[in-house]
Amino acid sequence: MNKLGEFKHKHSLGQNFLKDKNVLAKIIDSVDVKEDDLIIEVGPGQGALTKFLKLFHANLRCFEVDTRVEKYLKQFIDDKTKVVYNDFLKVDIEEEIKDIEYNDLYVIANLPYYITTPIIEKMINCNLDVKAMVLMVQNEVADRLSAKVGSKDYGAITVFLNYYFDVEKLFFVGRKCFDPAPNVDSAVIKLSKKEKKYELNNEEFFFKLIQDSFRMKRKNIRNNLKGYDLEKVLTILESYGLDLTCRAESIPLSCFVDIANELSK
Ligand code: SAM
């Protein structure tokens, strides 16, 4: 707060508040949350999105690190809505929601961009069954997460995320929709839990294979996977019409799964 009592946004906390009501309405329209569901909102800020999330009349748990916004958020508190003032990356989410009886779990948030990946990873690694996440992220990140095989944005994080979720870029959001306007554009993405996940012999091995495959972006798979059984890798690649001269960006998720399973039999 400055001398005039105005809120002083903290750049270090990614405090760019959404002011465009059309964008807020579009976020809400992209999910079908029921009253007996639970929404987790990361970073409610002054409550721009929270206000719209309340329209679902669902259970709502918000996690906000900056206690200065308490005076804006207290109007939303009721028996179904609670704000936890803590760093989302440090909280034990399961503990925080253990008393709530809910059907489906959603994460809907205008994320603080400096911790986009850790937040998504935290939701993946906790033991909660997330039905969908609708997230405002930096536009470039949205392109990377939703990239199609063969495109320049397709990377290790794309494959990793697509193993768990169907990833869709919903719409672009220009920087002017925020106050203060950040110096990057944004986009809303939707991650929907895969109906049927690929079966893996060894998840850890699969994740390492992906990391190694994309280690040197310009190198082909023969170079990036030097320590692996390349004959077996080639057999699988050939079944996809590829060979060891291809780069990781042209290998689809299902092919990575097959390679990982072949090598970890
Ligand atoms: N939801 C609001 C909106 O749409 O206007 C604010 C979104 S703003 C982009 C990100 C919010 O995340 C800020 O309120 C910031 O204080 C909060 N935040 C930053 N780091 C956080 C953390 N580690 N845990 C929880 N909240 C955090």
Side-chain angles (χ1 to χ4, degrees), residues 63 91-99 125-128:
F63 296 89
V91 292
D92 180 342
I93 317 172
E94 284 152 80
E95 183 63 26
E96 293 293 345
I97 64 171
K98 70 170 191 291
D99 297 332
N125 293 331
C126 69
N127 287 319
L128 297 166

Side-chain angles (χ1 to χ4, degrees), residues 205-221:
F205 180 81
F206 169 71
F207 298 140
K208 184 171 181 318
L209 174 80
I210 296 169
Q211 288 300 339
D212 288 340
S213 301
F214 284 93
R215 197 164 298 281
M216 312 274 248
K217 259 231 136 189
R218 291 178 180 281
K219 298 229 165 167
N220 63 27
I221 218 64

Side-chain angles (χ1 to χ4, degrees), residues 37-39 41 44 50-51 53-63 73-84 100:
D37 291 336
L38 167 62
I39 304 172
E41 184 189 6
T50 318
K51 187 172 175 185
L53 294 176
K54 292 284 288 184
L55 299 172
F56 288 122
H57 302 289
N59 299 288
L60 178 58
R61 282 296 171 277
C62 306
F63 296 89
L73 293 177
K74 60 178 182 220
Q75 59 177 310
F76 300 117
I77 310 299
D78 56 30
D79 54 341
K80 289 182 100 174
T81 304
K82 196 177 147 196
V83 182
V84 177
I100 310 170

